[in-house]
Amino acid sequence: MMNVDDEGNTMYRIRKFIDHQCDGRAVKGDDGWYTTSNGLKRPRKTTKGWKLLAEMKGGETKWLDLSVAKEAYPIEVAEYAVANKLVSEPAFAWWVPYTLRKRDQVLKAVKRRAVKRQKPEIFGIEVPGPGPKGVARAYELDAENGTSHWNDALIKEVKTILPALQILEEDEDVPVGYQLIELMTVFDVKMDLTRKARICAIGDQTDPPMSVTYASVVTRESIRLAFVIAALNGLNVLSADVSGAYLNAKCAKKVYCILGKEFGEYAGKKAILVKAFYRLKSLGFAWRILCADVSKEQLEFQPCRGDMDVWRRSCQRKDGSNYYGQVVKKRIAPMQLTLKKKVYSTLPTGYKPELDSTPFVNDDTAILYMQLIGILRWLVELGRIDVAAKVSMLSSYNAMPREGHFHAALHIFAYLQKHPDRILVMDCGYADHLRPLKKADYSQFYEFTKDELPSDMPTPLGKAVEFTMFVDASHAANVVTRQSRTGVLIFVNKAPIIWYLKTQNSVETSSFGSEFSALKTGVELLEGLQFKLRMMGIPIQGYCHTCVDNMSVVKNSSVPESQLKKKSNAVAYHYVRSRCAIDILQIEWINSAENLADVLTKIQPGPVRDRLIEHIMWKAKQNGKLALLI
């Protein structure tokens, strides 16, 4: 089935290969080998004359040249060749064995790391394993150390979950229709070295319908928007925590268990789970239903259709880091490594991850590398936009990292340790320095296009917000694949709400193509954000002021008479122009040195990076006050 990706390229989604054929051009038998000038016999690298019949996900079929199928689906084609005894054919013999060996090596390494990932210690403290053996080991550790840390944690956890159980008497039978499952206790150590025990249900022993296993959560963009709207309208921001949150919701499945040793006097008794236990597959669904019922029935809030996990209610107003640095240091200390102290760039000078040819790391280091990348990606989500592009590049090598990739990740942590004062602030001020842009007349080109507002949109309340968007594409940035990188930065007033970066799927032959593809992605993100705000009841002021550093893109999207010269970009071209026609956005050229989206697509020298970041992030002074560097 044909699909269109984010860049407007048509793609085939293949389910499996079902047939093959070859014609007279195909190389046969001994012709698949040639002799070099040194007398060595080498396989002839050819795929001529071979085609494979592919079944698409939509059910239709299509014949593909072997050269195309091999590049797009190497593993599937290799497995098909083995199943149909084609490996001895010259078109397959030179690459199928190598591909399958490489597949087995990667899978073996990943499985080996998954086994090694379970460490018995946290912060140098032995942690009992899960299950009954772990409970017994917890009591042994307390006895060996002369403490009661793990025992206290178990007592606290049992006291928390007892109200969620209906304990049956010894002569009382379990009601008909209830399924037996096991409970499992897991252990952890908090950052303050407090011991933590959590009694969970083994959810894999149940098989609930898919309809009760999904629970959505609020998006991070909605949270950032809430801060901006609160600051703009002078509203208070309140937060709360619910102890044993899930245990307040009813259990969606009929299940019971037999209590273990950690339950003391109740050990060995049968108990019905009347509340949602941790690790049940229906856990999140049950908790979300409870929150929705309370919000709607008792608090009189209504869900926002732009984000169903944002709830709103009209009311009358009344008067009235160390970035895990210490953890990283402890993890790399046994490897005789330390974080650099003098770091001025986010990556080593001149370093390109795709050109790294250092040896692959061992399994332990690979596990640590994945953990470091996970920490860095979360920091980017929390607001460290200055390292977003570099973290994205290194994330591509999670499966098989090299030594150079590992040291580059440590370099980013050293940079964060050296520059811990960059923070994200939801500034509600208006961008008054932007000059107004004149709307072009598209009436003769896109007269059919309308800005269709949602019919159930609530009445806008409060002060209006405005948008500013920066878009950039780093053309052919990957020197190996020559793929470009898209970067989009969207502000609501002066607050950065969305920062998006991704490697483009297609390889563009010109910067115009990659920039227009990036602009299309930015407009899609902008429309989604506008819809969300409208469904929250927030008024929107004017068009989005969009800044692009490619003059050809600006002219093609803002001058009605301009014509597209490159037909492969037709989807992005007409989509962006139709949105300009209804005044969703207006585009202007900006010097590349002033394009803030550059921090999401390029590796820049320290002074250039700092100059751009100062317009996005705030810098905390030592006296505790904040200074916006604009």
Side-chain angles (χ1 to χ4, degrees), residues 380 383-388 421-427 470 488-491 493-499 594-601 604 608-619 627-630:
V380 171
R384 284 310 299 248
I385 304 175
D386 49 341
V387 298
D421 52 355
R422 298 290 187 190
I423 60 176
L424 207 64
V425 175
M426 297 296 103
D427 185 3
F470 294 86
V488 179
L489 184 60
I490 302 179
F491 289 80
N493 289 5
K494 287 186 178 181
I497 300 299
I498 293 179
W499 46 95
E594 300 174 359
N595 191 349
L596 303 186
D598 266 23
V599 299
L600 301 175
T601 60
Q604 299 141 321
V608 177
R609 180 201 63 243
D610 291 341
R611 178 170 49 78
L612 293 175
I613 284 296
E614 286 173 354
H615 295 272
I616 304 174
M617 305 178 70
W618 290 51
K619 188 173 183 179
L628 179 59
L629 304 179
I630 292 185

Side-chain angles (χ1 to χ4, degrees), residues 206-430:
T206 64
D207 189 21
M210 292 295 294
S211 58
V212 298
T213 59
Y214 172 74
S216 58
V217 296
V218 66
T219 63
R220 286 179 286 274
E221 292 83 28
S222 296
I223 295 175
R224 297 175 195 133
L225 287 172
F227 284 126
V228 176
I229 302 307
L232 185 62
N233 294 279
L235 304 176
N236 293 327
V237 177
L238 305 178
S239 63
D241 179 43
V242 181
S243 178
Y246 291 139
L247 299 177
N248 293 282
K250 293 182 179 180
C251 184
K253 287 286 292 182
K254 293 183 177 181
V255 291
Y256 75 98
C257 65
I258 299 176
L259 303 181
K261 181 180 178 181
E262 59 269 34
F263 285 88
E265 59 180 306
Y266 300 110
K269 290 189 175 183
K270 298 176 181 178
I272 296 176
L273 279 62
V274 296
K275 298 292 185 179
F277 258 64
Y278 289 92
R279 290 196 64 181
L280 281 175
K281 292 183 179 180
S282 57
L283 170 69
F285 175 81
W287 171 243
R288 191 190 184 285
I289 291 296
L290 175 65
C291 290
D293 289 342
V294 171
S295 300
K296 189 172 183 178
E297 302 298 335
Q298 299 183 23
L299 302 180
E300 299 181 352
F301 279 80
Q302 293 296 323
C304 165
R305 199 159 66 87
D307 187 336
M308 296 300 289
D309 293 291
V310 173
W311 295 69
R312 62 187 301 274
R313 180 183 70 181
S314 299
C315 60
Q316 297 291 330
R317 291 193 60 183
K318 299 180 180 180
D319 296 333
S321 141
N322 65 3
Y323 299 98
Y324 298 90
Q326 299 303 320
V327 176
V328 174
K329 288 180 180 178
K330 290 181 179 179
R331 293 300 305 274
I332 65 176
M335 305 169 68
Q336 306 299 318
L337 296 174
T338 58
L339 295 180
K340 298 179 180 178
K341 295 184 178 180
K342 294 183 179 181
V343 176
Y344 303 101
S345 60
T346 50
L347 284 179
T349 303
Y351 180 72
K352 291 184 179 296
E354 63 270 24
L355 295 180
D356 197 310
S357 59
T358 57
F360 291 108
V361 299
N362 58 37
D363 292 341
D364 291 330
T365 306
I367 293 171
L368 177 57
Y369 179 82
M370 288 188 286
Q371 294 172 346
L372 296 180
I373 294 299
I375 294 172
L376 289 171
R377 291 182 67 172
W378 182 240
L379 291 176
V380 171
E381 290 291 341
L382 294 179
R384 284 310 299 248
I385 304 175
D386 49 341
V387 298
K390 298 76 183 175
V391 174
S392 176
M393 296 175 193
L394 294 179
S395 298
S396 303
Y397 305 95
N398 257 349
M400 298 291 287
R402 296 180 179 272
E403 292 178 0
H405 300 144
F406 176 70
H407 288 286
L410 295 182
H411 189 98
I412 296 179
F413 276 99
Y415 166 81
L416 293 172
Q417 180 178 258
K418 179 71 175 180
H419 303 85
D421 52 355
R422 298 290 187 190
I423 60 176
L424 207 64
V425 175
M426 297 296 103
D427 185 3
C428 64
Y430 292 98

